[in-house]
Amino acid sequence: TPQSRTAVEQVSSGEAHISQLAVAASFAELEKTQGRPTDLVHFAQINERDGFFLVGRQGNFQWRDLEKKKVLVDHLSQPLALMKYACHLQNVDYASIEVVDAGGPDAMEQAFRDGQGDFVHLQGPTAQQLEHEGKGVVVASMGDVIGPVAFSSLFAKRDWLRTDMAKAFMKAYGKGRRATAELSAKEVAQVVQPFFEEIDRSVLVSTIDVYQRMGCWDGDTA
């Protein structure tokens, strides 16, 4: 799909039936309509935990170590908001951190590999791959600090959710999400490995295990 078209625009126009979208991404849409309800709705959770991690240059981490340090932070609305919230929960003065916007996740990873920053804020399994290669140490998990939260979700138009297609999709999606939570990490990794060709297989397995133990895919989809 054209990169100039946002997920909201594509679903609104009917170009797409469903999209993955952070709940926070819809806040901007509500601001545009001044709080009036729209035809778009988040109808199913993907993961119930923040899947980001902090990677540092060395271990023995305490959250106050972030203060006065250069941290490459993901600046998309929801990851950024939850990074700030995690700091609040850990009594860290976010304003004291030298926050760096290095671009998207790939650019952030490369910047950290190139020596920029003391810490980087990344999703798994990229964070774990850096540790596997000896480029850093995973020192903290956002999901463990914050706990249950509406993170990634699926959204669609309300009228589409009343269709037989939507019912069939939800049946299949629910089955797949339960399998992701209940199968072994090795079995899940075997299925998703083609989407992570640059990630070592053992790293992918261990990261999925971390997410499963964290409870990312537990509970109902709605």
Side-chain angles (χ1 to χ4, degrees):
T1 56
Q3 292 186 355
S4 59
R5 298 272 289 168
T6 67
V8 171
E9 289 171 340
Q10 291 176 54
V11 173
S12 296
S13 69
E15 184 178 345
H17 293 116
I18 309 168
S19 178
Q20 175 183 346
L21 195 71
V23 173
S26 289
F27 296 165
E29 295 304 310
L30 288 173
E31 288 176 356
K32 290 178 184 177
T33 63
Q34 297 183 338
R36 294 190 303 275
T38 70
D39 191 37
L40 301 173
V41 61
H42 293 261
F43 67 92
Q45 290 199 88
I46 298 175
N47 48 306
E48 300 186 6
R49 296 292 191 282
D50 183 329
F52 279 75
F53 299 87
L54 282 176
V55 179
R57 300 289 179 186
Q58 57 188 14
N60 300 318
F61 173 76
Q62 295 183 2
W63 276 83
R64 296 294 293 270
D65 294 340
L66 297 177
E67 295 182 352
K68 299 182 180 179
K69 295 294 176 58
K70 186 176 291 186
V71 184
L72 281 61
V73 177
D74 191 306
H75 274 62
L76 285 177
S77 57
Q78 187 149 315
L80 178 60
L82 290 177
M83 173 65 178
K84 292 179 179 179
Y85 184 55
C87 288
H88 166 74
L89 292 175
Q90 295 298 313
N91 297 312
V92 173
D93 180 8
Y94 187 81
S96 73
I97 301 172
E98 188 177 344
V99 176
V100 178
D101 183 357
D106 291 344
M108 291 170 62
E109 177 193 355
Q110 190 58 55
F112 191 76
R113 287 178 179 276
D114 292 341
Q116 296 184 43
D118 301 295
F119 298 90
V120 63
H121 174 226
L122 294 168
Q123 294 191 78
T126 305
Q128 287 77 9
Q129 183 67 29
L130 284 172
E131 182 173 73
H132 178 73
E133 296 177 17
K135 304 296 185 181
V137 180
V138 177
V139 296
S141 159
M142 299 294 113
D144 284 340
V145 170
I146 295 169
V149 65
F151 202 75
S152 293
S153 62
L154 297 174
F155 89 119
K157 295 177 73 172
R158 296 176 190 274
D159 57 355
W160 181 81
L161 291 172
R162 293 189 285 268
T163 67
D164 290 340
M165 182 190 296
K167 294 174 183 177
F169 172 83
M170 280 304 299
K171 183 177 180 180
Y173 175 71
K175 182 178 179 180
R177 190 172 183 272
R178 286 191 297 273
T180 304
E182 296 170 2
L183 291 176
S184 71
K186 287 184 178 179
E187 290 174 297
V188 177
Q190 184 175 357
V191 174
V192 302
Q193 182 75 63
F195 298 100
F196 299 94
E197 294 180 349
E198 73 284 3
I199 302 297
D200 183 88
R201 181 63 169 270
S202 65
V203 172
L204 186 58
V205 172
S206 64
T207 304
I208 291 169
D209 180 64
V210 167
Y211 281 144
Q212 287 177 327
R213 287 187 285 107
M214 193 187 297
C216 273
W217 305 299
D218 291 349
D220 296 333
T221 56

